[in-house]
Amino acid sequence: MKENGKELEYKKKYFWLLADIENIKARYMKEINKTKKIACEKAFKDFLPVIDSLELSYKNSKEEETKSSLRITLKIISNMLKNNNIKVINPSKFEKFNPTFHQAIISIKTPEKENLIFSVLQKGYLINKKLLRPALVGVTCK
């Protein structure tokens, strides 16, 4: 069978429309994923004070039963963070200060080295290698 000019034109338009629909679907899926990512980041950021409070309660608790319950809760939260690609920034003492991941809140003068962390006041967090909250630290200076 021989196709005439009109049939070829309609086929061409049909394939262009199919391509447009595929492009719209791809843009739509990309936008949905971006929105989900932003929503997850906000939800986890809003949850960080709860984690801070639970850790502080655990640290200051005297009763073993309470400590045990808090330990289990913190373990569950730790697994949840790990499963969602959230990493804790908890610098060690005398680690070099890194302004990308740390926020200096206190500084003390020392005759020795400067820009070393001497205290961690609050842990920081990364989500998918993006800073969610910097660690609040005390730093040495000359």
Side-chain angles (χ1 to χ4, degrees), residues 89 97-103 126 129 131-135:
I89 303 169
F97 176 76
N98 182 342
T100 305
F101 303 114
H102 309 136
Q103 182 178 348
L126 294 167
K129 298 181 182 178
L131 187 66
L132 199 56
R133 180 178 80 185

Side-chain angles (χ1 to χ4, degrees), residues 83-97:
N83 292 339
N84 286 281
N85 207 20
I86 297 174
K87 306 244 184 302
V88 178
I89 303 169
N90 191 15
S92 56
K93 200 169 189 175
F94 303 117
E95 182 178 320
K96 182 119 174 86
F97 176 76

Side-chain angles (χ1 to χ4, degrees), residues 19-140:
D20 281 346
I21 289 170
E22 287 304 314
N23 288 337
I24 289 168
K25 274 195 228 176
R27 276 196 311 266
Y28 180 70
M29 291 309 293
K30 187 176 178 182
E31 194 62 34
I32 286 175
N33 289 334
K34 182 180 174 186
T35 303
K36 282 181 185 177
K37 184 178 174 184
I38 291 168
C40 285
E41 287 175 9
K42 178 159 178 22
F44 281 119
K45 191 171 187 174
D46 290 346
F47 189 65
L48 295 179
V50 175
I51 297 170
D52 295 336
S53 295
L54 288 169
E55 287 177 343
L56 190 60
S57 296
Y58 176 77
K59 184 178 176 182
N60 293 321
S61 180
K62 305 266 187 268
E63 297 176 26
E64 190 51 44
E65 192 174 307
T66 303
K67 256 187 130 108
S68 177
S69 296
L70 288 169
R71 187 180 310 111
I72 292 166
T73 303
L74 288 168
K75 181 68 177 165
I76 292 167
I77 290 171
S78 175
N79 289 335
M80 178 196 66
L81 295 176
K82 188 177 178 182
N83 292 339
N84 286 281
N85 207 20
I86 297 174
K87 306 244 184 302
V88 178
I89 303 169
N90 191 15
S92 56
K93 200 169 189 175
F94 303 117
E95 182 178 320
K96 182 119 174 86
F97 176 76
N98 182 342
T100 305
F101 303 114
H102 309 136
Q103 182 178 348
I105 299 297
I106 306 168
S107 64
I108 58 169
K109 290 187 178 194
T110 59
E112 296 90 36
K113 295 183 178 181
E114 63 181 341
N115 289 332
L116 296 179
I117 295 169
F118 69 86
S119 175
V120 178
L121 304 162
Q122 190 177 62
K123 294 177 185 177
Y125 294 87
L126 294 167
I127 184 167
N128 299 316
K129 298 181 182 178
K130 179 183 172 192
L131 187 66
L132 199 56
R133 180 178 80 185
L136 304 181
V137 298
V139 183
T140 60

